[in-house]
Amino acid sequence: MAGLIVVLGVFWGLCILSTALLRWNELRYRKKGLPPGTMGWPVFGETTEFLKQGPAFMKNQRLRFGNFFKSHILGCPTIVSMDPELNRYILVNEAKGLVPGYPQSMLDILGKCNISAVHGSAHKHMRGALLALISPNMIKDQLLPKIDDFMRSHVSNWQGTIIDIQEKTKEMAFLSSLRQIASSEAGSISEAFMPEFFKLVLGTLSLPINLPNTNYHRGFQARKNITSLLRKLVEERKASGENQHDMLGFLLAEENRYKLSDEEMIDLIITILYSGYETVSTTSMMAVKYLHDHPKVLEELRKEHMAIRVRKGPEEPIDYNDYKSMRFTRAVIYETSRLATIVNGVLRKTTQDMEINGYVIPKGWRIYVYTREVNYDSHLYPDPLTFNPWRWLVRN
């Protein structure tokens, strides 16, 4: 009996402590002029619910507080805007007191020179270097032929085997990007690089608490290992004096007007790998699912590709003109991106106290411009939950 009393006492003590902590955190952020919302636990906020529930968390909060509410996610107090008109205003006027506001964990792990972390002239310089790597000429002459060659070899051994499409598309997105960056070395470094990169990705979407066995700690350690691999790769390229036709070769070339330090170069490479990984792998996986579930779409897609192939030899690659002619393929990509909604929104950070929508947002707070729900607006997309690529052909 005494043991039961102790257990009940501990239980009620924890309940009271938890309630007190939640109440204290709410009072801490109950400043005049802030929109309604909940802030969750001290330090952790509502990050667990946000990551676990995903879009359901946002829908529940909107039902309680409307389209403009406060929360505390990924280590920072955040205002969530789900109003399309207000989101448009924020994005159009983002230079006026707003800067990119990515989570601290992302900024730490992607590096202080990554394009999301720098502002002003440094941002302009890094942006110019990045855009030079994906210019129309680079796409035509370098990127597209390499992607075509990679995909032929990558899927050639899939036939007749059971594969995990989620794992394969992740692998595909990473290896394809790595080959674009370092064509000749990609095969030799990918085995050591890939598991570290996957840890890095997980670490960027976590609380910035550097304790052992946390995703942030593992991501930060993975960044150190990746940085070491890339630094060695850059040094070997410089020592060889070879001018290879890939992204790293372009960055190191004398004619490149955007001269980067080794640190800037490494952070740019990590940014390229990171930015294309989740979007390409998830979109590819969902495209396979939607095509499997909609045989008529798959049949139409095959017709378009077979019409291109009959004009070419068996091993002749797809070129830029072929790509431009793929109207239905682009429609499938657009519809997959709309329905799967890989990117839910963008984050901005206030550089000063700002008045938005009748509320005062304190300096240093983040604003989550949440655009996901626009993709399911029945006024913009009739029967929005139906996979229908033909809707994009009507628009064009």
Side-chain angles (χ1 to χ4, degrees):
M1 187 66 181
L4 179 60
I5 292 172
V6 171
V7 171
L8 286 172
V10 171
F11 173 75
W12 284 113
L14 288 173
C15 288
I16 292 168
L17 177 62
S18 298
T19 303
L21 284 172
L22 286 168
R23 181 65 178 164
W24 172 78
N25 206 42
E26 293 298 334
L27 291 172
R28 180 184 171 202
Y29 289 105
R30 190 172 289 177
K31 297 178 181 179
K32 187 178 179 181
L34 281 171
T38 52
M39 303 303 286
W41 299 94
V43 181
F44 299 98
E46 298 180 306
T47 300
T48 301
E49 294 89 340
F50 169 70
L51 294 176
K52 196 175 182 179
Q53 299 175 23
F57 171 80
M58 292 298 184
K59 288 180 180 178
N60 292 337
Q61 296 300 86
R62 183 173 64 174
L63 287 173
R64 295 177 64 188
F65 306 113
N67 284 329
F68 199 73
F69 57 88
K70 66 184 177 185
S71 182
H72 193 294
I73 51 178
L74 298 174
C76 184
T78 302
I79 301 299
V80 179
S81 173
M82 300 178 73
D83 183 277
E85 291 300 319
L86 187 56
N87 287 346
R88 191 175 294 112
Y89 169 81
I90 292 170
L91 293 175
V92 168
N93 294 280
E94 64 177 25
K96 300 173 183 178
L98 292 168
V99 295
Y102 297 97
Q104 191 60 46
S105 54
M106 186 179 292
L107 298 177
D108 292 344
I109 292 174
L110 295 185
K112 65 181 182 181
C113 296
N114 87 81
I115 197 168
S116 304
V118 294
H119 309 297
S121 59
H123 177 84
K124 186 177 179 180
H125 186 69
M126 293 298 289
R127 184 173 178 270
L130 177 60
L131 291 177
L133 292 172
I134 52 174
S135 66
N137 286 336
M138 286 288 284
I139 291 172
K140 291 179 188 178
D141 301 335
Q142 301 292 332
L143 273 64
L144 197 57
K146 283 191 176 74
I147 292 172
D148 183 82
D149 178 68
F150 170 78
M151 288 306 300
R152 285 167 180 267
S153 61
H154 189 66
V155 304
S156 61
N157 59 350
W158 288 12
Q159 191 170 358
T161 61
I162 297 173
I163 63 168
D164 183 329
I165 196 65
Q166 184 176 21
E167 292 303 314
K168 283 294 184 181
T169 50
K170 285 181 180 180
E171 181 183 288
M172 174 197 73
F174 171 75
L175 292 175
S176 176
S177 296
L178 190 61
R179 184 173 291 192
Q180 297 284 356
I181 291 163
S183 52
S184 61
E185 299 93 345
S188 60
I189 67 173
S190 61
E191 189 173 341
F193 204 121
M194 190 156 46
E196 297 300 317
F197 179 74
F198 292 163
K199 293 176 193 173
L200 179 147
V201 171
L202 283 175
T204 59
L205 293 174
S206 63
L207 281 169
I209 299 174
N210 198 11
L211 295 175
N213 296 320
T214 62
N215 283 337
Y216 178 82
H217 179 78
R218 284 191 286 263
F220 205 75
Q221 291 301 121
R223 176 190 161 76
K224 290 181 180 179
N225 296 335
I226 287 172
T227 300
S228 178
L229 285 168
L230 290 176
R231 185 169 286 112
K232 182 180 178 184
L233 175 63
V234 170
E235 289 171 356
E236 287 176 350
R237 277 288 186 95
K238 285 181 175 179
S240 70
E242 296 180 20
N243 186 14
Q244 297 190 33
H245 297 293
D246 51 28
M247 289 184 175
L248 183 55
F250 181 84
L251 289 171
L252 291 170
E254 286 296 324
E255 58 269 22
N256 177 23
R257 55 182 289 210
Y258 297 99
K259 301 299 181 185
L260 301 179
S261 66
D262 287 0
E263 186 178 14
E264 289 173 329
M265 210 177 303
I266 288 168
D267 281 358
L268 183 61
I269 289 171
I270 292 174
T271 300
I272 291 169
L273 288 168
Y274 181 85
S275 59
Y277 167 73
E278 192 70 36
T279 51
V280 172
S281 63
T282 306
T283 303
S284 300
M285 177 187 68
M286 294 306 297
V288 171
K289 180 192 182 302
Y290 292 144
L291 291 171
H292 172 269
D293 294 344
H294 299 82
K296 288 184 179 178
V297 178
L298 179 58
E299 182 182 355
E300 188 68 22
L301 191 69
R302 279 178 168 160
K303 281 182 183 177
E304 182 170 81
H305 283 259
M306 292 309 294
I308 293 171
R309 287 258 48 107
V310 296
R311 304 195 300 265
K312 294 178 167 290
E315 299 302 320
E316 192 176 352
I318 296 291
D319 59 33
Y320 191 66
N321 289 328
D322 297 323
Y323 171 73
K324 288 198 298 182
S325 72
M326 295 178 183
R327 290 185 70 243
F328 192 73
T329 300
R330 283 198 299 278
V332 169
I333 294 169
Y334 294 156
E335 185 69 349
T336 300
S337 300
R338 181 195 70 81
L339 197 55
T341 311
I342 313 307
V343 179
N344 292 326
V346 296
L347 281 161
R348 296 291 180 261
K349 185 172 74 171
T350 57
T351 59
Q352 60 192 33
D353 289 358
M354 294 186 66
E355 184 175 341
I356 300 177
N357 201 34
Y359 297 103
V360 177
I361 315 303
K363 177 183 177 181
W365 279 47
R366 285 179 173 82
I367 299 176
Y368 190 8
V369 181
Y370 194 77
T371 57
R372 177 187 177 89
E373 300 308 315
V374 174
N375 289 342
Y376 311 110
D377 187 334
S378 58
H379 293 97
L380 296 173
Y381 307 102
D383 199 8
L385 299 182
T386 298
F387 182 71
N388 176 21
W390 284 276
R391 73 171 87 237
W392 296 95
L393 299 182
V394 174
R395 290 163 179 259
N396 294 336

